[in-house]
């Protein structure tokens, strides 16, 4: 008997060990971006994944800072941390690499059940070279900056420096090689290459070397169909940059060369380990077509996305950092970057959650910037629950479904306009009417000071919808083939998705909760499941 027991114990532990070593080596599918019918899905572990992210501060990837980062990420219910990796830190001496800090982040991310997007702060960080290693900064002749029109150096590395490009590509390839062997579990789901590349303070490089290139004929491969269409250029055009592109030639030239440079770096990294890679963008005002000296020239601003696509086919997408405040401008940016040839992801934004649903309806992810930088907080203060935490808590368990529905074009979102006017969403034989302000039935809405309401609707079937909202009220109108018919709710369920991804009904709304103009939602986001019927 004892022998049998010993044998069973031995078997049990052997099986346990096998399972443990299997899971330690888990070699899941590499994250990838898939494209169908003009929309994108990020697949993580082969499943649609919605990035509910947070980006830490620029100087937070240090051992002493990480506990605060994880704490706030947990409080936020985020699923992905965007965190920088500094070239100056990983290659302190030329050709000597140290990825110990990367390893630390990786281990802690797993302990915190968080996915990672590493931000490769290298040649460009907000248009400057500040994260180049010291051995490069000390050799300004070899690694020069842009020269402005007035002949003076600008605080921005030139994209015409092959030595810098090769050095960046080499370091990046080493970094990606490290990630490949250190992360068979795919904790890291994407990499941002550079940070807001381009140049502030000069539209392009006016050095001798750059000038010569500028006065040479354009590279023929720039004239893709999209470039010709969007920039209104004849496909057969030949000539110098100015001859082909006229008054915006300086900016297009700079964008082309910045994008070529980064594409080279991306190629080098992808050859080693092909994770999805993107480049973030310091935006220009999308409504007024300002001249290029008003914003960071050379980055993938909305007017040069087609040039970036032509110059940098290996970059998966360009991603807008949204710090604009004006509703119209923000909604325009969302439209301009959610293109059939570009996945929408917002890697940086302010604290407002107003446009969260508008981004999720069309994109693969959302991430506010500087989440661990709590202004005026005493070190031991208990952080108050942020509005974003309530949003992420509701959305996270249904993230894969939202990613799927977004890719299928089933989600539509609206935000409360400044005049609080109700918004309409066409759902085929129904229209959702979203009201803001909190008025009861036909009574006038109570004027609220800030227009921060928002809602999204998911079309699950002809008469079946899901809605999520804050500071709004949902109701419906029969339209299309239902037009003119009487109707009523069949059922309105308030609920949420649990950790296993199942919808759980919290309560059925009826009576006062639906009779006076539809269910009303306050500051805290609520998920509603509607079935409607005509009579
Ligand atoms: C945009 C940059 O990409 C970030 O790294 C950071 O510098 C923020 N601006 C600061 O607001």
């Amino acid at each position: 008997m004892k022998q049998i027991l010993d044998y069973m114990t031995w078997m049990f532990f052997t099986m346990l060990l096998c399972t443990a070593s299997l899971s330690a080596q888990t070699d899941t599918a590499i994250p990838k971006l898939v494209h169908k019918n003009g929309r994108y899905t990020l697949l993580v572990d082969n499943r649609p994944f919605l990035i509910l992210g947070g980006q830490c501060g620029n100087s937070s990837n240090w051992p002493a800072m990480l506990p605060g980062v994880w704490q706030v990420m947990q409080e936020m219910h985020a699923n992905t941390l965007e965190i920088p990796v500094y070239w100056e830190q990983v290659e302190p001496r030329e050709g000597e690499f140290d990825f110990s800090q990367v390893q630390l982040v990786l281990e802690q991310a797993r302990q915190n059940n968080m996915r990672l997007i590493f931000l490769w702060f290298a040649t460009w960080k907000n248009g400057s070279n500040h994260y180049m290693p010291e051995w490069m900064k000390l050799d300004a002749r070899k690694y020069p900056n842009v020269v402005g029109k007035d002949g003076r150096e600008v605080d921005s590395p030139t994209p015409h420096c092959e030595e810098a490009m090769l050095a960046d590509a080499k370091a990046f390839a080493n970094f990606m090689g490290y990630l490949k062997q250190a992360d068979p579990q795919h904790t890291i789901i994407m990499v941002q290459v550079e940070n807001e590349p381009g140049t502030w303070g000069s539209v392009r490089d006016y050095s001798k070397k750059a000038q010569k290139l500028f006065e040479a004929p354009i590279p023929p491969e720039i004239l893709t169909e999209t470039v010709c269409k969007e920039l209104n250029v004849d496909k057969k055009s030949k000539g110098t940059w100015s001859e082909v592109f006229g008054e915006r030639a300086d900016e297009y030239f700079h964008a082309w060369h910045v994008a070529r440079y980064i594409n080279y770096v991306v190629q080098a990294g992808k050859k080693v380990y092909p994770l999805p890679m993107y480049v973030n963008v310091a935006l220009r005002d999308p409504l007024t077509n300002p001249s290029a000296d008003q914003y960071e020239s050379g980055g993938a601003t909305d007017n040069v996305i087609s040039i970036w696509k032509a110059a940098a086919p290996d970059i998966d997408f360009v991603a807008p950092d949204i710090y604009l405040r004006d509703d119209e401008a923000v909604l325009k940016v969302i439209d301009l970057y959610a293109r059939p040839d570009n996945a929408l992801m917002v890697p940086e934004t302010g604290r407002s959650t107003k446009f969260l649903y508008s981004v999720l309806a069309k994109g693969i992810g959302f991430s506010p910037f500087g989440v661990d930088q709590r202004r005026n907080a005493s070190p031991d203060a208990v952080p108050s629950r942020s509005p974003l935490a309530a949003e992420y808590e509701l959305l996270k368990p249904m993230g894969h479904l939202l990613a799927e529905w977004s890719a299928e074009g089933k989600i539509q979102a609206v935000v409360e306009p400044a005049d609080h006017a109700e918004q309409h969403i066409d759902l085929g034989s129904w229209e959702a009417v979203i009201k803001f302000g909190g008025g009861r039935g036909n009574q006038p809405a109570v004027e609220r000071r800030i227009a921060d309401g928002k809602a999204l609707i998911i079309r699950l079937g002809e008469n079946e919808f899901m809605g999520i909202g804050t500071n709004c009220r949902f109701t419906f109108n029969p339209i299309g083939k239902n037009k003119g018919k009487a109707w009523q709710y069949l059922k309105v369920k308030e609920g949420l998705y649990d950790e296993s991804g199942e919808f759980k009904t919290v309560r059925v709304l009826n009576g006062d909760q639906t009779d006076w103009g539809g269910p009303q939602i306050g500051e805290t986001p609520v998920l509603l499941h509607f079935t409607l019927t005509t009579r």
Side-chain angles (χ1 to χ4, degrees):
M1 183 65 184
K2 180 171 179 298
Q3 266 178 348
I4 294 175
L5 271 178
D6 281 346
Y7 176 69
M8 283 175 71
T9 319
W10 176 81
M11 278 290 283
F12 174 73
F13 281 109
T14 314
M15 277 167 65
L16 210 68
L17 275 174
C18 287
T19 326
S21 75
L22 263 182
S23 65
Q25 293 166 12
T26 312
D27 210 345
T28 54
I30 185 168
K32 68 173 181 223
L33 196 63
V34 292
H35 178 213
K36 203 172 148 201
N37 302 330
R39 290 172 176 267
Y40 290 83
T41 316
L42 176 67
L43 294 182
V44 172
D45 298 341
N46 267 332
R47 264 182 119 194
F49 185 82
L50 178 64
I51 299 164
L52 298 170
Q55 183 170 149
C56 63
N58 289 167
S59 306
S60 298
N61 192 358
W62 291 95
M65 305 304 290
L66 289 179
V69 173
W70 299 122
Q71 190 191 336
V72 82
M73 292 294 289
Q74 295 294 358
E75 286 162 10
M76 272 170 66
H77 298 274
N79 62 17
T80 307
L81 171 67
E82 295 177 5
I83 184 164
V85 176
Y86 320 120
W87 188 5
E88 63 178 1
Q89 189 189 47
V90 301
E91 195 182 2
R93 280 165 297 282
E94 188 168 6
E96 276 178 36
F97 294 97
D98 173 1
F99 295 112
S100 48
Q101 182 63 24
V102 171
Q103 183 61 34
L104 185 69
V105 175
L106 207 46
E107 282 160 15
Q108 294 190 3
R110 289 175 192 143
Q111 286 155 12
N112 281 277
N113 201 16
M114 205 69 70
R115 301 282 178 165
L116 289 173
I117 296 176
F118 276 121
L119 318 173
W120 178 243
F121 280 17
T123 299
W124 286 276
K125 161 66 176 82
N126 294 29
S128 298
N129 74 354
H130 301 177
Y131 284 87
M132 275 186 185
E134 286 174 25
W135 52 269
M136 294 181 79
K137 287 184 189 145
L138 291 171
D139 201 348
R141 259 174 187 276
K142 189 167 174 189
Y143 307 109
N145 273 350
V146 158
V147 173
K149 229 179 191 163
D150 58 4
R152 283 203 211 143
E153 251 210 9
V154 174
D155 182 17
S156 180
T158 177
H160 308 291
C161 176
E162 202 181 325
E163 288 83 353
M165 183 176 82
L166 293 174
D168 193 337
K170 185 175 146 201
F172 187 60
N174 266 279
F175 169 60
M176 292 308 295
Y178 186 82
L179 299 190
K180 184 178 179 181
Q181 58 78 31
D183 190 30
Q185 302 90 322
H186 302 303
T187 299
I188 306 146
I189 55 172
M190 288 210 280
V191 175
Q192 177 187 297
V193 187
E194 315 295 341
N195 191 84
E196 294 193 350
T199 299
W200 293 97
S202 182
V203 177
R204 67 171 170 91
D205 188 357
Y206 293 86
S207 67
K208 262 202 199 134
K209 185 175 179 183
Q211 194 57 26
K212 204 164 154 204
L213 285 169
F214 185 71
E215 286 164 10
I218 55 159
E221 52 297 9
I222 194 175
L223 293 183
T224 60
E225 247 167 60
T226 319
V227 166
C228 293
K229 196 168 128 217
E230 292 183 11
L231 304 181
N232 206 11
V233 175
D234 186 341
K235 184 121 184 72
K236 296 195 199 87
S237 309
K238 285 197 172 68
T240 65
W241 288 83
S242 297
E243 284 163 356
V244 177
F245 293 115
E247 60 180 17
R248 296 210 84 121
D250 295 309
E251 179 187 8
Y252 295 174
F253 171 80
H254 199 44
W256 172 263
H257 284 285
V258 172
R260 289 303 272 184
Y261 181 123
I262 299 175
N263 196 62
Y264 186 86
V265 176
V266 163
Q267 260 179 352
K270 280 198 172 176
K271 221 179 262 169
V272 181
Y273 185 32
L275 280 180
M277 295 184 194
Y278 70 92
V279 174
N280 64 333
V281 185
L283 299 176
R284 65 176 204 148
D285 180 342
L287 301 174
T288 58
N289 194 26
S291 63
D293 53 3
Q294 310 282 302
Y295 53 90
E296 189 182 5
S297 172
T301 46
D302 66 82
N303 55 328
V304 294
I305 294 177
S306 61
I307 292 187
W308 268 75
K309 295 285 167 193
D314 297 289
I315 295 172
D316 291 280
F317 58 94
V318 292
D321 288 347
I322 303 186
Y323 290 99
L324 298 160
R325 280 158 191 267
D326 174 65
D327 285 12
E328 200 192 339
V330 175
L331 294 171
K332 180 84 184 170
V333 164
I334 290 171
D335 271 355
L336 288 169
Y337 284 83
R339 301 166 38 127
D341 63 355
N342 196 67
L344 173 72
M345 181 222 172
V346 178
E348 286 183 40
T349 184
R351 305 273 162 129
S352 163
T353 60
K354 181 163 182 181
F355 300 97
L356 172 64
Y357 303 164
S358 308
V359 172
L360 301 191
K362 294 187 176 173
I364 61 167
F366 180 89
S367 178
F369 174 77
V371 293
D372 58 327
Q373 298 170 337
R374 292 192 192 119
R375 287 186 193 104
N376 309 323
S378 79
D380 51 2
V382 178
S384 60
R385 186 173 159 81
S386 74
L388 192 68
E391 300 281 0
Y392 278 10
E393 187 175 19
L394 183 71
L395 300 176
K396 193 158 82 167
M398 60 188 299
H400 65 284
L401 287 170
L402 288 165
E404 223 167 84
W405 291 327
S406 162
E408 288 165 358
K410 289 185 175 164
I411 310 183
Q412 296 184 68
V414 292
V415 293
E416 179 176 5
D419 63 359
H420 315 288
E422 66 184 37
Q423 302 292 299
H424 296 232
I425 297 177
D426 188 335
L427 299 163
S429 37
W430 299 95
E431 132 187 288
V433 181
I434 316 296
K435 298 188 183 189
F436 304 97
R440 235 188 171 215
N442 292 329
Q443 292 166 0
V446 178
E447 179 106 349
R448 287 187 307 114
R449 216 167 39 82
I450 309 170
D452 61 356
K454 62 183 185 299
L456 67 74
I457 289 269
I458 305 151
R459 188 179 189 278
L460 296 174
E462 198 182 321
N463 302 312
E464 183 186 0
F465 310 101
M466 204 120 64
I468 307 178
T470 59
N471 290 325
C472 70
R473 158 170 282 176
F474 286 93
T475 184
F476 294 85
N477 277 332
I479 60 165
K481 76 176 185 16
N482 286 342
K483 195 170 166 62
K485 295 187 184 163
W487 72 280
Q488 67 182 144
Y489 295 112
L490 211 48
K491 194 167 273 176
V492 182
K493 295 188 265 188
E494 185 183 310
L496 34 89
Y497 279 80
D498 65 14
E499 286 304 322
S500 64
E502 294 287 313
F503 180 84
K504 295 275 181 254
T505 303
V506 172
R507 59 176 177 159
V508 171
L509 300 185
N510 208 338
D512 287 348
Q513 279 63 55
T514 52
D515 290 348
W516 305 96
Q520 183 163 348
I521 300 174
E523 300 282 337
T524 306
V526 172
L527 172 64
L528 299 172
H529 180 275
F530 299 97
T531 40
L532 313 176
T533 186
T534 54
R535 303 181 58 84

